[in-house]
Amino acid sequence: EPEVTQTPSHQVTQMGQEVILRCVPISNHLYFYWYRQILGQKVEFLVSFYNNEISEKSEIFDDQFSVERPDGSNFTLKIRSTKLEDSAMYFCASSDPTGYGELFFGEGSRLTVL
Amino acid sequence: KNEVEQSPQNLTAQEGEFITINCSYSVGISALHWLQQHPGGGIVSLFMLSSGKKKHGRLIATINIQEKHSSLHITASHPRDSAVYICAAPNTGNQFYFGTGTSLTVIP
């Protein structure tokens, strides 16, 4: 069964460092998403991406964040200068070409900022 | 102000009980998603619905667009149903709003 894969599963970084989280969405999906979940809190939307550009982003997704699809398969989330409050689980998801179809989630990347 | 409200926040049930989780939303949505988050943290999509009712095994999801309300029902609950159930609603621009989740524990 096709699945969304994320790497790394866990990353520990120092405050101020750049972090790149990687996702490989399901191959025929065209809509891609990043979400985050701070420990003990609800899932929060960060950004949606379609046709090689951001279609929606939340207030959380400020200038420190960027996304790209560098090679047609990977979908990356970059945090330019990490802060303590960026510590969270980051989930990537993709959905089918209709865009409002079922979401398929990766297992998540846990980011710990020290 | 939460665009998506879920209730209850926590629910404990005896095995075999019928369970209902509710979700109300205030945003204009294109569809509503019910998600299950396992104790290990992984998230699985259960349903995506824009009208009426869907059924998958012991799970049933309904939505009333006029009342901006959706329910997730679990019939004959089982301990393996223990998880956090999350309601999520994308607006027409595909920005998602999430409920806080309902933590379900089914006791044998």
Side-chain angles (χ1 to χ4, degrees):
Chain A
E1 186 176 317
E3 58 180 18
V4 176
T5 57
Q6 287 186 242
T7 54
S9 55
H10 189 194
Q11 181 157 358
V12 181
T13 190
Q14 294 290 328
M15 191 169 57
Q17 295 295 305
E18 176 182 283
V19 161
I20 297 176
L21 304 178
R22 291 182 169 80
C23 170
V24 180
I26 293 172
S27 60
N28 67 331
H29 285 184
L30 299 178
Y31 289 82
F32 314 115
Y33 309 87
W34 282 103
Y35 305 96
R36 80 171 185 191
Q37 186 175 33
I38 295 170
L39 187 63
Q41 297 186 22
K42 69 177 184 179
V43 178
E44 299 172 292
F45 169 81
L46 292 177
V47 65
S48 58
F49 190 88
Y50 170 72
N51 201 24
N52 285 322
E53 60 183 27
I54 291 173
S55 53
E56 284 281 349
K57 61 182 181 179
S58 71
E59 292 174 354
I60 302 166
F61 195 87
D62 62 21
D63 292 343
Q64 291 298 313
F65 290 90
S66 62
V67 289
E68 63 175 4
R69 198 151 185 251
D71 57 11
S73 60
N74 289 287
F75 177 51
T76 62
L77 174 69
K78 182 193 289 187
I79 308 174
R80 237 177 296 282
S81 177
T82 49
K83 304 187 284 287
L84 295 176
E85 53 265 38
D86 294 327
S87 295
M89 181 74 92
Y90 289 81
F91 291 100
C92 172
S94 66
S95 65
D96 69 26
T98 65
Y100 300 127
E102 181 182 357
L103 289 169
F104 291 80
F105 285 83
E107 288 295 309
S109 293
R110 179 165 296 286
L111 175 64
T112 301
V113 182
L114 302 177
Chain B
K1 172 184 170 295
N2 290 322
E3 292 83 0
V4 176
E5 298 275 2
Q6 270 186 254
S7 63
Q9 278 195 296
N10 297 285
L11 183 55
T12 301
Q14 292 289 331
E15 183 174 355
E17 283 187 15
F18 180 83
I19 287 160
T20 296
I21 299 169
N22 295 300
C23 175
S24 297
Y25 54 91
S26 59
V27 293
I29 66 168
S30 52
L32 188 125
H33 296 253
W34 281 102
L35 311 171
Q36 181 191 55
Q37 186 165 30
H38 299 300
I43 300 175
V44 173
S45 176
L46 298 175
F47 295 102
M48 190 278 296
L49 66 166
S50 53
S51 65
K53 176 176 164 179
K54 285 190 176 179
K55 184 175 190 291
H56 185 249
R58 295 180 293 105
L59 301 178
I60 303 166
T62 62
I63 189 168
N64 184 318
I65 298 291
Q66 287 74 30
E67 295 185 3
K68 295 190 172 181
H69 181 268
S70 176
S71 293
L72 176 69
H73 305 285
I74 305 175
T75 62
S77 58
H78 190 275
R80 65 174 173 264
D81 297 327
S82 298
V84 176
Y85 292 84
I86 302 168
C87 168
N91 64 10
T92 50
N94 236 5
Q95 176 163 353
F96 276 75
Y97 300 91
F98 289 83
T100 52
T102 295
S103 178
L104 171 66
T105 303
V106 181
I107 300 169

